[in-house]
Amino acid sequence: MENKDTIILLVDDEADILEFLGYNLAKEGFQILKARNGQKALELALVHKPHLILLDIMMPGLDGIETCNQLRMIPGMQNSLIVFLTARGEDYSQIAGFEAGADDYVTKPVKPKVLISRIQALLRRYRAIPELSEKIITKEFIVDQVRYMVIKQDEEIILARKEFEILQLLVSKPGKVFTREDIFTRVWGENVIVGDRTIDVHIRRIREKVGTDHIRTIKGVGYKYEEE
């Protein structure tokens, strides 16, 4: 997939920022969609299924966090990349963003070269995802790697993208302990820093949504999935 085939949705309530971002990304050959609010972003995402969404956190009405949560619930959007734009330097913005299902964040004011570099790095990971045809079958449920969902007792369970990737990693090798560093690197990438609380929240949500108590916490180390 080349830049010309890649759809990027820009979401910000400030028209000049949309214009600035759209201009610089269009120069790189990307297809650009724009939305001034979260509701419009959801409408465009539902129709166009963008590969990447650049999403402002601080917006009136439906803010970026809630917009991200709702985007992840759209069928076919679990695998899309979401990058938050934030003018705040506090850890809260970054943690809240990752917990909502974001893949990365970029701070304002945005530097075009830095932004394009981050986007290209994320897209390389996206394009490198192989076409999976197999399913991981456990005694509890099936992890459908093509449709990005969990099937348990004929019920289809949709997880946020990062939640799915963590579960997929854990069940790929039952009994193996994955350290926090392993999970961070494999799910978020080497250049993204998230706190321990972020991964704890994701694990808790996986347990609740899937209804499993087979994900074990190895205190001070990480997590593993046990069949028995």
Side-chain angles (χ1 to χ4, degrees):
M1 183 174 63
E2 301 178 0
N3 286 5
K4 64 181 178 65
D5 302 313
T6 303
I7 301 172
I8 296 180
L9 171 59
L10 308 177
V11 189
D12 199 297
D13 60 309
E14 298 184 40
D16 57 340
I17 292 179
L18 284 182
E19 186 65 27
F20 170 75
L21 295 174
Y23 171 77
N24 283 282
L25 292 171
K27 281 201 308 182
E28 299 297 315
F30 296 110
Q31 297 181 47
I32 303 299
L33 301 171
K34 300 177 184 178
R36 292 283 299 276
N37 56 65
Q39 187 57 48
K40 182 63 175 178
L42 293 172
E43 293 171 4
L44 289 173
L46 189 62
V47 174
H48 298 281
K49 300 296 192 299
H51 302 98
L52 184 143
I53 301 167
L54 205 55
L55 178 62
D56 185 32
I57 283 188
M58 302 299 291
M59 294 188 296
L62 200 64
D63 67 15
I65 301 296
E66 183 56 33
T67 301
C68 182
N69 280 321
Q70 293 194 33
L71 283 167
R72 289 302 189 202
M73 295 173 66
I74 296 175
M77 286 295 297
Q78 285 76 33
N79 201 36
S80 295
L81 298 163
I82 296 180
V83 180
F84 272 122
L85 286 172
T86 175
R88 301 197 297 177
E90 299 99 318
D91 289 340
Y92 167 78
S93 293
Q94 298 164 15
I95 292 173
F98 287 129
E99 289 177 357
D103 297 279
D104 203 349
Y105 69 92
V106 174
T107 54
K108 296 179 181 178
V110 179
K111 298 179 180 179
K113 289 185 179 179
V114 173
L115 174 64
I116 291 167
S117 176
R118 295 280 279 275
I119 287 176
Q120 294 285 21
L122 283 166
L123 287 173
R124 280 195 293 273
R125 286 171 52 200
Y126 179 93
R127 293 161 180 165
I129 297 174
E131 291 296 325
L132 298 170
S133 58
E134 58 194 285
K135 299 174 181 177
I136 300 176
I137 301 175
T138 75
K139 294 180 180 179
E140 286 191 287
F141 48 75
I142 298 171
V143 178
D144 190 325
Q145 300 183 100
V146 175
R147 295 191 295 162
Y148 247 66
M149 66 170 57
V150 175
I151 303 169
K152 183 176 183 179
Q153 297 177 349
D154 295 326
E155 178 188 357
E156 295 181 348
I157 303 169
I158 303 297
L159 302 177
R161 183 167 180 260
K162 294 304 183 188
E163 293 167 0
F164 182 87
E165 290 179 352
I166 291 172
L167 180 62
Q168 182 183 41
L169 177 64
L170 295 177
V171 301
S172 68
K173 294 184 178 179
K176 173 181 169 58
V177 177
F178 289 90
T179 66
R180 292 176 179 275
E181 291 74 17
D182 287 338
I183 297 171
F184 289 148
T185 300
R186 298 193 193 199
V187 175
W188 276 273
E190 296 181 353
N191 297 321
V192 178
I193 300 174
V194 297
D196 286 351
R197 180 168 172 267
T198 300
I199 191 168
D200 292 340
V201 169
H202 280 72
I203 292 291
R204 175 173 57 79
R205 289 177 177 169
I206 293 168
R207 286 168 171 158
E208 290 174 352
K209 291 180 180 180
V210 177
T212 179
D213 58 4
H214 287 254
I215 297 176
R216 313 294 189 195
T217 301
I218 309 302
K219 191 172 181 179
V221 181
Y223 298 92
K224 68 176 179 177
Y225 179 81
E226 287 187 339
E227 289 274 30
E228 301 297 337

